[in-house]
Amino acid sequence: GRLLGAATMQARMYDLGAYPALTLSDTSADIVHGEVYDLVNPATALPWLDDYEGIGRGPSAVDEYERVERSVRLHTGIELSAWVYVFRGVIKGLPRVASGRWQANTGSPKRP
């Protein structure tokens, strides 16, 4: 895909160790930073990304993430809808990444 640029969204980020977990938030001060890509072929890319995130691996599997469409704000100020992967697991007891920036954490960004 083509990188549209850095973006933010209203959400919270938690540290799962090897990768982050994003959860939606009703609090405007909760901001997560990321990047937005324009997918060249969504019909091919989205199933691949879903598989990478462990979505839909079988009828008995419990998906760790859910792909949802949410509003994001590009660094240019433009708002648009984007697909994001929201953590469905239990966040109680997980360390929160207060900066909303995974790179600032001790782990590495989880990228396809």
Side-chain angles (χ1 to χ4, degrees), residues 35-58:
E35 296 174 334
V36 175
Y37 288 83
D38 182 16
L39 300 177
V40 176
N41 186 347
T44 302
L46 287 174
W48 185 90
L49 289 167
D50 288 350
D51 184 59
Y52 179 83
E53 296 294 346
I55 295 176
R57 290 196 172 157

Side-chain angles (χ1 to χ4, degrees), residues 1-38:
R2 179 176 63 97
L3 176 64
L4 296 181
T8 57
M9 70 173 288
Q10 188 173 310
R12 290 182 177 182
M13 183 182 291
Y14 294 89
D15 185 350
L16 294 179
Y19 52 90
L22 179 137
T23 62
L24 301 177
S25 173
D26 294 327
T27 304
S28 61
D30 291 339
I31 301 295
V32 168
H33 300 263
E35 296 174 334
V36 175
Y37 288 83
D38 182 16

Side-chain angles (χ1 to χ4, degrees), residues 22-111:
L22 179 137
T23 62
L24 301 177
S25 173
D26 294 327
T27 304
S28 61
D30 291 339
I31 301 295
V32 168
H33 300 263
E35 296 174 334
V36 175
Y37 288 83
D38 182 16
L39 300 177
V40 176
N41 186 347
T44 302
L46 287 174
W48 185 90
L49 289 167
D50 288 350
D51 184 59
Y52 179 83
E53 296 294 346
I55 295 176
R57 290 196 172 157
S60 62
V62 177
D63 295 340
E64 189 175 31
Y65 290 89
E66 176 183 15
R67 178 168 43 94
V68 298
E69 195 171 353
R70 288 294 181 267
S71 178
V72 300
R73 182 183 298 271
L74 291 174
H75 67 286
T76 58
I78 295 171
E79 286 194 37
L80 52 87
S81 277
W83 289 112
V84 297
Y85 288 90
V86 176
F87 186 64
R88 298 180 62 198
V90 177
I91 58 170
K92 185 177 181 179
L94 290 176
R96 182 164 172 210
V97 181
S99 69
R101 296 178 188 272
W102 183 243
Q103 291 83 352
N105 203 23
T106 57
S108 301
K110 181 181 183 186
R111 296 183 187 212

